[in-house]
Amino acid sequence: MTARFLRRRAPLEQMLHLLQDDIDQGRVRQRLQAYRRMRTVALGPCMRLQFEDPVTVQHQAYDSLPPPLRRDGAALARALAERRHLLPEGLDWRATLQLGLQDLRRVPRPGLPPVDALQAIHLDVAPGTPAATRVRAELRPGAGAHPLLRFALTPRLAQALLAGAGASLGCNHPAYAWRHLLPPATLKLLRRDLHGSRASAADGWQPAAEPLPLPLGQAA
């Protein structure tokens, strides 16, 4: 499923309230779950990062409530307030991190990466070029059991991404060294997040004098 396929239907934001109705609830859930999968990237066999936006946060808030409270406006508002820190602010991306054992044969025992490997997660903009720039993840407490990773982008890096530069997620810890290119559909949604950022209209948003070169095959 592609971002274009999703856009041909009604905006996702307008479908969230349909979760409270009995009609077509299964189809709405299926579409929202597909959207969340498009914003999720696997980093090795044990880490999965879901890049958050208002749709994913509202969906999480709804699912966190027991069925009797899902139609309670006050309960939903409280669940959303508890997750407000997951929403990006300005030129950053935020992702909740899930740890799990998916393939023990590919991971040294005891399976899960060491805790300090979480401090070694990074985002590379324009990987494969001399001007590739690394953004270290800031590890923050998350909602529930999932830590939150924040990737703070400079205006120059945001401009490069909006111009079509690729990006990859990596972890350079010796016990868990993995790297994964962000899929085109995921990058398209993340670029849309940057387009909608309030910071893009701020006085400080200026084009870089020397944009990052794009790898071969990358198009705007």
Side-chain angles (χ1 to χ4, degrees), residues 34-117:
Y35 179 76
R36 290 177 66 170
R37 284 195 297 270
M38 287 174 60
R39 298 185 68 93
T40 301
V41 178
L43 180 57
C46 294
M47 293 186 185
R48 296 179 67 84
L49 283 75
Q50 177 179 280
F51 288 92
E52 306 291 356
D53 75 345
V55 173
T56 64
V57 172
Q58 290 182 62
H59 192 202
Q60 288 182 57
Y62 179 86
D63 278 347
S64 71
L65 296 173
L69 292 179
R70 291 177 179 175
R71 301 188 183 191
D72 185 328
L76 281 170
R78 287 193 297 270
L80 281 171
E82 293 171 356
R83 290 163 175 79
R84 194 168 301 278
H85 64 287
L86 301 177
L87 292 171
E89 294 181 356
L91 299 182
D92 69 347
W93 288 337
R94 302 188 186 193
T96 48
L97 175 65
Q98 298 180 6
L99 295 174
L101 296 178
Q102 299 180 14
D103 190 352
L104 284 174
R105 294 170 299 177
R106 299 173 62 189
V107 188
R109 293 184 180 276
L112 285 173
V115 174
D116 54 348

Side-chain angles (χ1 to χ4, degrees), residues 27-215:
R27 294 180 63 184
V28 173
R29 282 186 171 278
Q30 184 179 19
R31 186 179 172 212
L32 288 169
Q33 289 167 359
Y35 179 76
R36 290 177 66 170
R37 284 195 297 270
M38 287 174 60
R39 298 185 68 93
T40 301
V41 178
L43 180 57
C46 294
M47 293 186 185
R48 296 179 67 84
L49 283 75
Q50 177 179 280
F51 288 92
E52 306 291 356
D53 75 345
V55 173
T56 64
V57 172
Q58 290 182 62
H59 192 202
Q60 288 182 57
Y62 179 86
D63 278 347
S64 71
L65 296 173
L69 292 179
R70 291 177 179 175
R71 301 188 183 191
D72 185 328
L76 281 170
R78 287 193 297 270
L80 281 171
E82 293 171 356
R83 290 163 175 79
R84 194 168 301 278
H85 64 287
L86 301 177
L87 292 171
E89 294 181 356
L91 299 182
D92 69 347
W93 288 337
R94 302 188 186 193
T96 48
L97 175 65
Q98 298 180 6
L99 295 174
L101 296 178
Q102 299 180 14
D103 190 352
L104 284 174
R105 294 170 299 177
R106 299 173 62 189
V107 188
R109 293 184 180 276
L112 285 173
V115 174
D116 54 348
L118 304 184
Q119 306 287 345
I121 297 175
H122 53 80
L123 175 80
D124 287 338
V125 178
T129 73
T133 304
R134 178 158 294 180
V135 179
R136 291 284 180 184
E138 301 172 16
L139 184 61
R140 300 182 172 187
H146 302 310
L148 174 66
L149 298 178
R150 177 177 181 266
F151 300 92
L153 302 171
T154 65
R156 181 169 178 258
L157 292 182
Q159 184 205 22
L161 289 163
L162 289 173
S168 66
L169 279 174
C171 178
N172 60 357
H173 191 279
Y176 196 83
W178 293 88
R179 188 175 73 91
H180 188 85
L181 289 172
L182 296 185
T186 303
L187 262 178
K188 192 167 189 175
L189 292 175
L190 293 174
R191 290 188 184 112
R192 187 187 68 180
D193 295 346
L194 291 178
H195 273 297
S197 168
R198 293 190 303 270
S200 64
D203 293 339
W205 177 267
Q206 297 292 335
E210 297 180 1
L212 291 175
L214 305 184

